[in-house]
Amino acid sequence: MFQINENYQKLPGNYLFSTIAKKVNAFQEANPDKELIRLGIGDVTQPIAPAIIEAMHSAVDEMAHAETFHGYAPDLGYEFLRKAIVENDYKARGCQVEIDEVFVSDGAKSDSGNIQEIFSENNRIAVCDPVYPVYVDSNVMAGRTGTYDKNTETWSNVIYMPCTAENNFVPEFPKETPDIIYLCLPNNPTGTTLTKAQLQEWVDYANKNGAVIIYDAAYEAYISEDDVAHSIYECEGARTCAIELHSFSKNAGFTGVRLGYTVVPKDLKCGDVSLNSMWARRHGTKFNGAPYIVQRAGEAVYSEAGKAQLKEQVAYYMKNAKTIKEGLKDAGYTVFGGVNAPYIWLKTPNQMTSWEFFDYLLEKANVVGTPGAGFGPSGEGYFRLTAFGEYENTVKALERIKSL
């Protein structure tokens, strides 16, 4: 008789945002007259920029003619997109990244869950706490995390790096030595960042200890401060210890279009084995490539018109972030984030648990957020609000919260 992957049975409950969706849908069904404002999931609301839409239309037209039709995409992605990525995201910032080190995918979430496949089950991972759930859950599915303790909500074989108000939500080097280190900067969910000097210390630490950093740069477009790196490859030595994940979802509104990429430098090796070659093999075997139409849209992100239009969209969302942050402060909340990232991380009031505050906001203000406990044990007592809503709804949500 067939057997299942028992590691899936170890996962506690449902995926965080699936649980939220179920609770929200149940509330909506019971209260059809209530207008909900959703500031929970990090989904964009602004339409795709005109320059990108124009590129997509042109690509669709190409697909209607035999001489310009495109079938399967190349394994790594089309050269026109990978070249644009290298020139704009790396060479323009003084980083050494080659075109054959860029792997185009359908998004950073997929890559962040899949990248662990090229590592041994015996590797020990270290994660910031709170953390984006996919990092831990995908390693649970692979059998790498040990056993789960319901009381502490931690895994026995995961090294947790608490990020709390006491350390300004900046991870500290763990006492135990990890093999794989996950860093998301600017951070989801706390919205905090590391300076270039702090990030360089992590690169030096990884190289010294033979560890690999999985660097999730999904929110780099929202960085506003000069001393914050947009890429880990701005740090000396990063090519021998770091893999970088990028998304087009947050900077270009591709949440419903799906596009991302991962950089695996050829200098990153385990002995004589190239991780670049391993990821290329995995990528070619399990992925048939992002659609031509979508990759043309991605290319337009780097056009002069695309850059200008997306700069305006980022400013729109960061205006929301400022509105939320200042509004909550005025209402007496303790608030973090919202400067280099489109997330606000707040302390729950009156010693409420994060899920109690979720229910309170949902029922009393009809506002949906994300409970901090869903991101890990150190997230308890905190709550995340996203700046990706429409400005009018963001203002309305703040008015409702202030009236509680």
Side-chain angles (χ1 to χ4, degrees):
M1 181 176 176
F2 71 88
Q3 295 181 332
I4 62 170
N5 181 347
E6 292 290 347
N7 293 312
Y8 278 67
Q9 305 307 302
K10 298 177 183 178
L11 289 164
N14 294 315
Y15 180 58
L16 170 62
F17 296 106
S18 298
T19 301
I20 290 173
K22 289 179 181 178
K23 290 174 74 73
V24 170
N25 290 339
F27 179 84
Q28 193 87 83
E29 288 178 9
N31 301 275
D33 58 320
K34 301 292 185 181
E35 178 199 21
L36 289 182
I37 299 178
R38 300 171 188 265
L39 301 180
I41 191 169
D43 195 1
V44 295
T45 53
Q46 293 299 292
I48 292 175
I52 300 170
I53 290 293
E54 183 179 346
M56 293 178 76
H57 278 299
S58 296
V60 169
D61 290 340
E62 287 184 56
M63 301 296 276
H65 304 282
E67 60 272 19
T68 53
F69 173 80
H70 289 79
Y72 289 126
D75 283 355
L76 273 66
Y78 284 101
E79 185 172 338
F80 61 77
L81 177 55
R82 291 185 292 124
K83 183 178 179 181
I85 289 168
V86 168
E87 292 293 330
N88 291 275
D89 288 345
Y90 295 105
K91 286 188 176 179
R93 293 173 177 146
C95 303
Q96 180 193 349
V97 169
E98 304 301 326
I99 194 169
D100 58 355
E101 296 173 330
V102 176
F103 298 81
V104 176
S105 72
D106 62 352
K109 180 178 181 179
S110 299
D111 286 351
S112 65
N114 294 330
I115 195 69
Q116 52 78 28
E117 289 187 23
I118 65 174
F119 297 99
S120 165
E121 183 180 320
N122 298 324
N123 281 305
R124 192 109 184 260
I125 70 167
V127 297
C128 295
D129 175 31
V131 68
Y132 182 46
V134 173
Y135 306 153
V136 175
D137 287 359
S138 59
N139 279 282
V140 174
M141 295 171 181
R144 196 176 285 117
T145 55
T147 57
Y148 184 69
D149 186 328
K150 291 184 179 179
N151 294 322
T152 61
E153 298 183 336
T154 59
W155 294 90
S156 63
N157 206 39
V158 173
I159 299 171
Y160 292 88
M161 301 181 291
C163 297
T164 64
E166 287 69 32
N167 61 10
N168 295 315
F169 302 100
V170 172
E172 299 170 359
F173 298 134
K175 294 178 181 178
E176 300 173 273
T177 304
D179 302 299
I180 302 170
I181 303 165
Y182 285 84
L183 294 178
C184 176
L185 297 166
N187 185 258
N188 174 20
T190 66
T192 54
T193 57
L194 300 183
T195 64
K196 289 181 182 178
Q198 288 173 317
L199 185 57
Q200 182 66 59
E201 290 178 359
W202 277 99
V203 169
D204 294 342
Y205 173 86
N207 277 319
K208 179 182 177 181
N209 291 283
V212 172
I213 296 174
I214 309 298
Y215 190 81
D216 189 344
Y219 300 95
E220 66 82 18
Y222 293 85
I223 294 171
S224 63
E225 296 178 324
D226 293 336
D227 65 341
V228 178
H230 287 259
S231 167
I232 196 169
Y233 301 119
E234 293 179 41
C235 296
E236 185 178 351
R239 285 182 55 84
T240 58
C241 71
I243 294 171
E244 185 164 282
L245 315 177
H246 269 261
S247 170
F248 285 78
S249 290
K250 313 302 182 181
N251 66 323
F254 279 32
T255 53
V257 176
R258 306 310 306 149
L259 190 66
Y261 68 86
T262 290
V263 174
V264 185
K266 285 174 284 188
D267 295 346
L268 182 54
K269 298 180 179 180
C270 179
D272 295 329
V273 179
S274 165
L275 270 65
N276 178 282
S277 297
M278 289 184 69
W279 185 242
R281 185 68 171 88
R282 190 265 172 210
H283 207 62
T285 301
K286 293 192 173 185
F287 184 62
N288 259 345
Y292 172 75
I293 296 165
V294 175
Q295 293 199 47
R296 279 297 184 192
E299 180 189 29
V301 167
Y302 299 103
S303 67
E304 290 306 311
K307 288 178 182 178
Q309 291 163 9
L310 294 183
K311 186 176 181 180
E312 291 181 3
Q313 286 197 355
V314 167
Y316 178 94
Y317 291 130
M318 290 311 289
K319 180 182 178 182
N320 286 350
K322 184 177 181 180
T323 298
I324 296 171
K325 186 168 187 175
E326 292 182 353
L328 289 174
K329 280 187 174 180
D330 290 344
Y333 288 85
T334 302
V335 191
F336 308 91
V339 176
N340 294 298
Y343 292 122
I344 304 300
W345 188 243
L346 62 124
K347 186 74 176 171
T348 56
N350 304 319
Q351 297 185 329
M352 286 186 187
T353 68
S354 57
W355 278 107
E356 287 173 347
F357 189 61
F358 173 89
D359 292 335
Y360 178 70
L361 277 191
L362 180 61
E363 294 169 8
K364 303 297 183 182
N366 307 145
V367 172
V368 181
T370 309
F375 297 102
S378 291
E380 183 54 85
Y382 292 92
F383 200 78
R384 192 193 77 174
L385 292 175
T386 171
F388 284 122
E390 296 178 345
Y391 179 72
E392 293 76 12
N393 282 341
T394 299
V395 172
K396 189 185 297 184
L398 261 295
E399 291 173 350
R400 293 181 184 180
I401 294 172
K402 283 183 176 181
S403 68
L404 295 176

